[in-house]
């Protein structure tokens, strides 16, 4: 009992519990969009709920209010435990959490009223009415960074586990990336310089924030929950350094064939291919860890989440480098394939990791076993089987869409090209997407239902007395 | 734990410090190479495509005013040029049905129908309906033209051709240094001449007058308004016999409420951001055959987007996904204001199969309560987004050397037909 009381877990709860709630909110908005914008376009219509105004709310809710916040909560959980000391300043954590939630909720849910900043993934507004939301967010983030770094600095365990490396990397990268995307983008000259900066930010957001955060979580919780040692510490270091080296260079692959210098596109392509290295090391490392005892995959939902997350990670990172090849991008770029790709990484991989982390941390912070393992099994099953129609519909549909667009290039004279376009107009190719979009929406509904079970399970674990189902507390 | 090593640095061991330093070094390296270096090595990132692009954004847009919210009757949108002496270039051109009469000292400014070169001046002159003084001369000219036409078309009645209504305008020099005028324009593309077709009537007064080609205002007539009352409410309308606009403040403030095209474009860009247009529409013609064909006209492909097209944009929206067509050439593909009005009102009716939402908040109700058309009255939001869209693809090259006329500078057509290799 001594050991458990050593750590103050209130900051963890302050970040995790609201994040779980916002996950459901964000996914509900996503499912709403899937139906209202694509399956039954504009069943509900109006100035404030059309697709363009609601989409950023979905993206903002699931990326910032859910995934980033949940990962910070998990950092608050495992960074002190890996350092052997309690969080440096719980008070600072309470204050930062207060600012964090206030400003994020205000900023993200103000998008429909017209506060969208206008850059991809950087929609967060400078001001909402008289409240400086973006500066407040940056301040809250810097408080979190300061708190976690001081925890590392005051640690008693000398050896630093790989999750700590990833955590420290995330804290530095996120700070830079946040500043680039929020401020630098409007300071550089107008036009393509800004576009280039924006894509730099966008890819760093995924590659240098969510990736190391998710991997830190996976590297901590997989050995912890399975009680198996990590396969290779050295391999995890190779992964860490290649991520640090590669990600910041690849932003321009969002502009392949676009109005940006060819050499930048090539540089981005080359570094994207290098991404195979960190991905294979991470996947190999985590798979080899669980390979010592595959039975646990069947027995434990959080392990299933991590391992399926790793599988999705492998998929997304095979796709990513290939999509940055010019001839592949010619077909996949600007289609729904891209939407599928972003969902498999942020949802299929990092949301899965975060959920596993929550399953791992919850019994410790509540000092109660999970309310129902059966519900957790269902949660995993519905997430997995919902994500299949969801993501594969976007891939297949997007690929077919890209192939249809490519038919315009059949022939050798402009008359032939133009004739192709007359025979298959742009709106025709959109109409062809309808069945795939329907399938995606159904998949989204299944996932939403599965995550609703998750919330019920979490809520009951916190609020109810432990059920009689036997379960050991993981510490 | 020894007290000596209590500092922050000592507690982070060497490997951690090296990690932090290495991360920052790697990150800065990439910032230097891919964010900062291109600005110095890539001239197209900062140099405009043509003098025409510069003039449109810097000379034309700030001095071109559009009535975004017509008050009173459902009247046509009003386009007004703000002319300044020794700044705005003017041309007074006769055409098939228009003739210009001028006092002796101003005759040299008129480009007569037989002239081959357009005469440009930066002296502030205006056209008006002929006055009593000149009416005799004007009537004579009109009669002469009508008789000539009748001679040339003896069987007009049989062929069902109606007699043209000739217009005779009088050139005069106003006493003011600036004026507000209506002129011949479509509101999207401005008049532009190549050097060979112009004569300047005086030495260049402004740096832009020296540009290779130059934009000018054609046949300006003073913009006058009349106020009237209807149901106790005061309204205004265009009236050639009304009172002139006294100042820029009057033009921009209530009840006239004009906005410059520059303001509208910038506001349109803001609307494009907050309405989330960019989540479905890309704004780049990629270097792919399918893209140049998609954005091309019936006979010519659109040239791929070039970085300098975007240099006047606060926010640029290259986009990640196309579930609506690409918009980088929309000013050429869809220049019709009426089409956009109908399309924003009901996209699914206007282009069947579209999943675009309606934008009814770009329209107001008719003030009389009974709309005379099926659509609402487009408000300043519509005008702003329309003006923003009309900049797309129309300003790369001067209209006289436009790609839609087959004069594409990079020869996209030859390249995609395989007759030419990429430079």
């Amino acid at each position: 009992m001594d050991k458990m009381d050593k750590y103050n877990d209130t900051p963890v709860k302050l970040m995790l519990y609201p994040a779980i709630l916002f996950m459901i909110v964000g996914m509900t908005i996503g499912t709403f969009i899937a139906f209202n914008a694509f399956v039954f376009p504009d069943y509900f219509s109006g100035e404030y709920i059309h697709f363009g105004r609601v989409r950023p709310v979905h993206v903002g809710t699931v990326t910032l209010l859910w995934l980033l916040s949940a990962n910070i909560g998990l950092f608050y959980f495992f960074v002190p435990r890996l350092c052997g000391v309690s969080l440096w300043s719980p008070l600072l954590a309470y204050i930062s959490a207060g600012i964090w939630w206030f400003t994020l909720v205000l900023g993200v849910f103000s998008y429909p009223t017209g506060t969208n900043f206008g850059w991809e993934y950087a929609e967060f507004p400078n001001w909402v009415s008289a409240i400086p939301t973006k500066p407040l967010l940056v301040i809250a983030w810097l408080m979190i960074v300061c708190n976690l770094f001081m925890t590392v600095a005051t640690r008693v365990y000398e050896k630093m586990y790989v999750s700590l490396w990833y955590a420290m990397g995330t804290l530095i990268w996120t700070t830079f990336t946040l500043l680039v995307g929020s401020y630098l983008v409007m300071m550089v000259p107008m036009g393509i310089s800004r576009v280039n900066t924006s894509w730099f930010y966008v890819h760093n957001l995924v590659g240098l924030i969510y990736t190391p955060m998710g991997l830190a979580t996976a590297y901590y919780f997989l050995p912890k929950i399975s009680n198996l040692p990590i396969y290779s510490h050295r391999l995890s270091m190779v992964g860490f350094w290649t991520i640090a080296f590669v990600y910041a260079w690849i932003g321009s692959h969002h502009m392949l064939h676009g109005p940006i210098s060819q050499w930048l596109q090539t540089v981005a392509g080359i570094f994207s291919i290098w991404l195979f290295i960190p991905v294979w090391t991470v996947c190999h490392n985590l798979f080899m860890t669980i390979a010592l005892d595959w039975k646990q995959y069947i027995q434990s939902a959080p392990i299933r989440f991590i391992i399926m997350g790793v599988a999705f990670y492998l998929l997304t990172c095979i796709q990513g480098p290939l999509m940055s090849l010019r001839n592949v991008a010619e077909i996949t770029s600007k289609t729904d394939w891209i939407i599928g790709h972003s969902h498999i990484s942020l949802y299929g991989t990092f949301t899965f990791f975060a959920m596993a982390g929550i399953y791992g941390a919850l019994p410790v912070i509540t000092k109660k076993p999970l309310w129902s393992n059966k519900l957790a099994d269902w949660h995993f099953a519905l997430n997995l089987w919902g994500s299949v129609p969801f993501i594969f519909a976007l891939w297949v549909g997007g690929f077919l869409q890209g192939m249809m667009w490519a038919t315009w290039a059949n022939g050798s004279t402009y008359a032939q090209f133009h004739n192709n376009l007359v025979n298959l107009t742009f709106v025709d190719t959109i109409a062809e997407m309808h069945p795939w979009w329907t399938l995606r929406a159904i998949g989204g509904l299944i996932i939403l239902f599965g995550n609703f079970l998750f919330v019920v399970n979490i809520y009951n674990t916190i609020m109810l007395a432990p059920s009689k189902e036997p379960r050991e507390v993981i510490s | 734990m020894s007290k000596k090593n209590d500092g922050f640095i000592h507690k982070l061991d060497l490997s951690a410090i090296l990690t932090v330093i290495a991360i920052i070094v790697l990150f800065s390296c990439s910032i230097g190479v891919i964010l900062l270096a291109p600005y110095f090595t890539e001239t197209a990132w900062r140099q405009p495509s043509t003098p025409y692009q510069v003039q449109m954004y810097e000379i034309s847009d700030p001095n071109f005013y559009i009535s975004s919210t017509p008050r009173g009757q459902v009247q046509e949108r009003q386009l007004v040029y703000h002319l300044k002496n020794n700044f705005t270039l003017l041309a007074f051109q006769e055409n098939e049905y228009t003739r210009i009469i001028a006092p002796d000292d101003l005759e040299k400014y008129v480009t007569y129908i037989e002239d081959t070169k357009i005469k440009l001046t930066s002296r502030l002159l205006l056209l008006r309906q002929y006055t009593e003084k000149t009416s005799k001369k004007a009537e004579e000219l009109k009669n002469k033209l009508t008789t000539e036409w009748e001679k040339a078309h003896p069987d007009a009645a049989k062929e069902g051709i109606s007699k043209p209504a000739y217009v005779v305008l009088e050139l005069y020099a106003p006493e003011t240094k600036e004026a507000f005028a209506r002129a011949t324009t479509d509101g999207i593309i401005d008049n532009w001449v190549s050097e060979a077709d112009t004569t300047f009537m005086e030495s260049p007064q402004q740096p832009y007058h020296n540009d290779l080609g130059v934009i000018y205002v054609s046949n300006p007539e003073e913009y006058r308004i009349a106020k009237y009352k209807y149901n106790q409410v005061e309204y205004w309308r265009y009236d050639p016999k009304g009172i002139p606009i006294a100042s820029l403040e009057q033009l921009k403030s209530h009840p006239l409420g004009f906005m410059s095209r520059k303001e509208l474009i910038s506001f349109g860009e803001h609307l494009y951001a907050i309405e989330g247009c960019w989540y479905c529409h890309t704004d780049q013609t990629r270097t792919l055959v399918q893209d140049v064909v998609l954005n091309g006209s019936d006979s010519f492909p659109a040239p791929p987007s070039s970085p300098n097209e975007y240099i006047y944009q606060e926010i640029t929206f290259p986009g990640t996904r196309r579930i609506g067509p690409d918009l980088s050439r929309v000013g050429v593909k869809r220049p019709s204001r009426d089409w956009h009005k109908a399309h924003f009102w009901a996209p699914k009716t206007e282009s069947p199969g579209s999943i675009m939402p309606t934008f009814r908040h770009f329209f107001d109700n008719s003030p009389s309560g009974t709309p005379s058309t099926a659509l609402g009255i487009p408000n300043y939001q519509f005008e702003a987004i329309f003006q923003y869209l009309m900049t797309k693809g129309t300003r790369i090259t001067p209209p006289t050397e436009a790609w839609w006329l087959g004069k594409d500078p990079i020869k996209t057509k030859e390249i995609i037909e395989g007759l030419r290799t990429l430079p």
Side-chain angles (χ1 to χ4, degrees):
Chain A
M1 265 336 232
D2 261 351
K3 197 184 167 201
M4 286 172 73
D5 286 332
K6 192 167 149 192
Y7 304 107
N8 182 344
D9 282 327
T10 316
V12 186
K13 294 176 186 169
L14 280 178
M15 294 309 284
L16 277 190
Y17 294 169
I20 293 166
L21 183 71
F22 284 117
M23 175 191 69
I24 282 294
V25 173
M27 289 182 177
T28 307
I29 297 170
T31 315
F32 167 76
I33 294 173
F35 280 99
N36 196 50
F38 296 97
V39 182
F40 309 109
D42 274 305
Y43 185 81
F44 298 101
S45 67
E47 183 176 356
Y48 301 108
I49 57 161
H50 69 70
F51 176 72
R53 293 220 186 188
V54 180
R55 189 195 115 135
V57 182
H58 163 67
V59 175
T61 312
V62 292
T63 56
L64 300 171
L65 285 161
W66 149 246
L67 198 50
L68 187 61
S69 310
N71 276 324
I72 293 170
L74 293 172
F75 272 17
Y76 280 160
F77 177 78
F78 67 72
V79 169
R81 281 170 172 81
L82 286 172
C83 293
V85 290
S86 188
L87 194 66
W88 182 64
S89 165
L91 181 67
L92 191 63
Y94 303 153
I95 297 169
S96 58
I99 303 175
W100 182 262
W101 289 117
F102 169 74
T103 186
L104 266 187
V105 169
L106 192 69
V108 168
F109 291 99
S110 73
Y111 296 156
T113 66
T115 57
N116 194 327
F117 191 52
W119 292 101
E120 188 100 39
Y121 282 162
E123 288 95 344
F124 205 73
N126 280 321
W127 295 86
V128 172
S129 188
I131 296 155
T133 35
K134 199 181 281 176
L136 281 176
L137 184 70
V138 173
I139 290 169
W141 172 256
L142 289 177
M143 286 172 158
I144 293 165
V145 170
C146 171
N147 212 347
L148 286 167
F149 259 114
M150 289 311 287
T151 311
V152 176
T154 54
R155 74 186 191 280
V156 292
Y157 300 157
E158 202 173 325
K159 182 126 172 90
M160 284 171 63
Y161 181 64
V162 61
S163 290
L164 265 189
W165 287 70
Y166 273 117
M168 284 167 56
T170 308
L171 297 175
I172 297 169
W173 287 320
T174 308
T175 309
F176 276 110
T177 304
L178 210 61
L179 292 176
V180 167
S182 314
Y183 296 105
L184 187 74
V185 71
M186 292 314 264
M187 289 176 194
V188 298
M190 297 199 282
I192 291 299
S193 296
R194 288 188 181 180
V195 170
N196 192 31
T197 310
S198 161
W199 291 129
F200 173 87
Y201 160 79
V202 166
H203 215 96
N204 283 347
L205 189 85
V206 184
L208 293 180
I209 302 181
Y210 291 114
T211 298
M213 275 186 156
L215 296 184
T217 311
Y219 271 127
Y220 178 80
F221 283 102
L222 183 65
K224 204 75 187 168
I225 300 172
S226 65
N227 220 2
L228 297 166
I230 196 80
Y231 170 71
S232 161
H233 196 262
R234 172 162 302 193
L235 211 51
S236 64
M237 281 293 116
V238 174
F240 175 83
W241 282 109
T242 37
I243 282 178
F245 183 54
V246 167
Y247 261 110
W249 296 82
I250 64 179
S252 326
H253 72 202
H254 292 259
M255 289 291 281
L256 285 178
H257 304 290
I260 203 163
S261 320
Q262 290 296 324
W263 68 266
L264 267 174
Q265 300 180 21
T266 309
V267 166
I270 291 168
F271 277 89
S272 303
I273 295 292
W274 282 26
L275 272 178
F276 279 128
I277 301 170
V279 174
W280 283 102
T281 57
V282 167
C283 293
H284 186 70
N285 215 349
L286 292 174
F287 278 138
M288 289 311 278
T289 305
I290 199 66
L292 294 174
D293 189 6
W294 271 109
K295 225 183 344 177
Q296 298 209 26
Y297 180 84
I298 302 166
Q299 290 162 346
S300 152
I303 286 184
R304 279 201 290 277
F305 267 113
I306 292 182
I307 295 305
M308 272 322 290
V310 175
F312 278 131
Y313 184 56
L314 187 61
L315 262 180
T316 189
C317 288
I318 288 172
Q319 271 185 1
L322 292 180
M323 281 156 66
S324 62
L325 298 174
R326 282 190 179 83
N327 49 357
V328 179
E330 181 173 343
I331 301 300
T332 58
S333 185
K334 315 287 177 260
T335 67
D336 272 284
W337 178 287
I338 304 300
I339 311 302
H341 177 70
S342 60
H343 277 93
I344 196 179
S345 57
L346 288 189
Y347 161 72
T349 306
F350 301 122
T351 291
F352 275 25
F353 285 165
M355 281 168 175
I358 290 169
Y359 276 130
L362 197 70
V364 183
I365 59 176
T366 57
K367 301 185 178 72
K368 284 187 259 183
L370 194 66
W371 183 68
S372 164
N373 286 320
K374 198 157 246 173
L375 216 51
D377 291 341
W378 273 104
H379 172 215
F380 174 76
L382 289 169
N383 262 285
L384 183 62
W385 295 114
S387 61
V388 172
F390 179 94
I391 291 170
F392 283 87
L394 288 173
W395 285 345
V396 176
F399 179 74
L400 293 178
Q401 197 179 13
M403 291 305 276
M404 280 189 275
W405 293 348
T407 60
W408 297 332
N410 290 342
S412 56
T413 62
Y414 186 69
Q416 287 171 332
F417 299 143
H418 188 69
N419 194 42
N420 296 333
L421 181 64
V422 172
N423 292 333
L424 180 79
T425 61
F426 185 83
V427 273
D428 292 342
T429 70
I430 295 300
E432 294 284 334
M433 288 299 292
H434 199 264
W436 303 108
W437 284 337
T438 309
L439 201 56
R440 182 261 300 266
I442 292 167
L445 215 52
I446 297 171
I447 292 167
L448 184 65
F449 181 66
N451 287 323
F452 186 71
L453 300 184
F454 174 60
V455 173
V456 169
N457 204 357
I458 301 293
Y459 182 83
N460 286 354
T461 308
I462 300 163
M463 301 304 285
L464 301 183
S467 66
K468 285 182 186 117
E469 210 178 335
R471 168 86 179 174
E472 274 177 40
V473 176
I474 306 152
S475 54
Chain B
M1 219 191 298
S2 76
K3 278 277 165 207
K4 213 166 63 182
N5 291 345
D6 235 11
F8 180 81
I9 297 296
H10 287 99
K11 285 191 170 173
L12 274 175
D13 61 29
L14 188 65
S15 65
I17 294 167
L18 288 176
T19 306
V20 172
I21 293 171
I23 286 170
I24 292 173
V25 167
L26 284 175
F27 208 74
S28 318
C29 248
S30 62
I31 287 182
V33 175
I34 64 173
L35 292 193
L36 304 178
Y39 186 69
F40 299 100
T41 58
E42 307 299 305
T43 46
W45 286 29
R46 54 182 195 278
Q47 277 174 8
S49 60
T50 54
Y52 179 74
Q53 190 194 15
V54 182
Q55 287 179 29
M56 281 304 285
Y57 280 103
E58 292 175 11
I59 310 292
S60 184
D61 288 347
N63 294 304
F64 185 66
Y65 287 85
I66 297 170
S67 68
S68 39
T69 332
R71 284 157 220 275
Q73 290 175 323
V74 183
Q75 63 175 1
E76 262 311 294
R77 168 186 67 144
Q78 303 288 301
L79 305 172
V80 173
Y81 281 97
H82 184 199
L83 309 179
K84 297 167 194 166
N85 192 27
N86 290 336
F87 182 84
T88 320
L89 285 172
L90 305 173
F92 304 94
Q93 295 165 283
E94 291 192 333
N95 60 36
E96 207 179 334
Y97 304 117
T98 311
R99 290 294 181 274
I100 296 168
I101 51 174
D104 295 342
D105 59 324
L106 299 182
E107 252 176 15
K108 61 175 179 180
Y109 295 112
V110 180
T111 313
Y112 292 104
I113 196 147
E114 59 271 18
D115 288 344
T116 48
K117 288 188 171 187
I118 300 167
K119 295 174 187 167
L120 294 182
T121 178
S122 55
R123 184 174 165 193
L124 183 57
L125 301 171
L126 289 167
L127 293 173
R128 66 182 167 204
Q129 305 292 317
Y130 52 82
T131 51
E132 277 178 29
K133 248 193 246 171
T134 50
S135 66
K136 208 175 143 203
K137 198 175 164 190
E139 292 294 343
E140 269 171 23
L141 186 60
K142 239 188 205 179
N143 288 336
K144 193 182 136 212
L145 288 168
T146 316
T147 332
E148 269 173 19
W149 187 87
E150 278 166 351
K151 257 186 220 162
H153 303 83
D155 303 323
K158 242 188 261 169
E159 287 167 24
I161 318 169
S162 53
K163 214 186 282 181
Y166 286 100
V167 179
V168 177
L169 297 166
E170 180 195 335
L171 185 66
Y172 72 105
E175 281 160 16
T176 49
K177 289 276 173 221
E178 54 176 43
F180 298 93
R182 68 207 302 264
T184 25
T185 175
D186 65 351
I188 300 170
I189 292 167
D190 257 329
N191 299 300
W192 165 271
V193 276
S194 52
E195 206 173 11
D197 301 327
T198 334
T199 15
F200 281 90
M201 302 315 293
E202 62 272 304
S203 58
Q205 307 283 316
Q206 299 292 330
Y208 89 90
H209 295 175
N210 293 318
D211 281 342
L212 216 59
V214 86
I215 51 165
Y216 64 91
V217 178
S218 178
N219 292 3
E221 287 175 65
E222 189 164 37
Y223 190 78
R224 288 162 178 262
I225 55 158
K227 290 186 177 171
Y228 67 99
K229 271 193 172 176
Y230 179 77
N231 278 354
Q232 311 298 318
V233 188
E234 196 169 70
Y235 297 110
W236 65 274
R237 62 181 153 79
Y238 168 70
D239 185 348
K241 296 191 177 70
I243 44 163
I245 309 285
S247 65
L248 191 57
E249 284 68 45
Q250 191 202 350
L251 189 74
K252 292 185 78 172
S253 56
H254 186 77
L256 295 169
F258 278 66
M259 281 169 94
S260 75
R261 186 160 60 193
K262 188 181 177 178
E263 290 162 344
L264 284 168
I265 290 172
S266 151
F267 185 60
E269 189 181 283
H270 172 70
L271 286 177
Y272 197 90
I274 67 163
E275 297 289 354
C277 309
W278 48 288
Y279 293 119
C280 304
H281 295 279
T282 52
D283 180 9
Q284 48 174 324
T285 308
R286 294 174 297 166
T287 50
L288 293 174
V289 178
Q290 52 262 49
D291 271 39
V292 298
V293 171
L294 174 65
N295 285 339
S297 68
D298 286 351
S299 30
F300 295 102
S305 295
S306 136
N308 47 25
E309 283 172 40
Y310 306 93
I311 58 178
Y312 285 98
Q313 298 176 354
E314 282 281 332
I315 306 177
T316 300
F317 309 94
T320 40
R321 178 161 68 145
R322 255 181 217 164
I323 40 181
D326 181 76
L327 294 181
S328 58
R329 302 288 178 253
V330 70
V332 178
K333 284 208 85 173
R334 300 275 187 203
S336 159
R337 190 164 175 272
D338 285 338
W339 186 88
H340 284 282
K341 251 157 66 173
H343 190 260
F344 276 119
W345 181 263
K348 292 178 196 70
T349 322
E350 203 58 23
S351 37
S354 163
I355 55 164
M356 178 166 150
T358 57
F359 286 83
R360 300 271 161 102
H361 52 289
F362 288 175
F363 299 84
D364 291 338
N365 292 325
S366 165
S368 58
T370 46
S372 55
T373 59
L375 316 182
I377 301 171
N379 59 28
Y380 66 103
Q381 295 184 73
F382 170 80
E383 200 54 49
I385 200 86
F386 174 70
Q387 287 301 328
Y388 175 70
L389 290 178
M390 288 306 107
T391 63
K392 306 270 173 212
T394 52
R395 296 176 171 198
I396 318 163
T397 46
T400 49
E401 295 148 38
W403 61 268
W404 59 90
L405 304 174
K407 295 179 183 171
D408 174 11
I410 57 163
K411 310 269 184 259
T412 311
K413 194 176 174 186
E414 279 91 329
I415 291 171
I416 63 171
E417 288 184 346
L419 305 175
R420 201 183 237 279
T421 48
L422 281 167

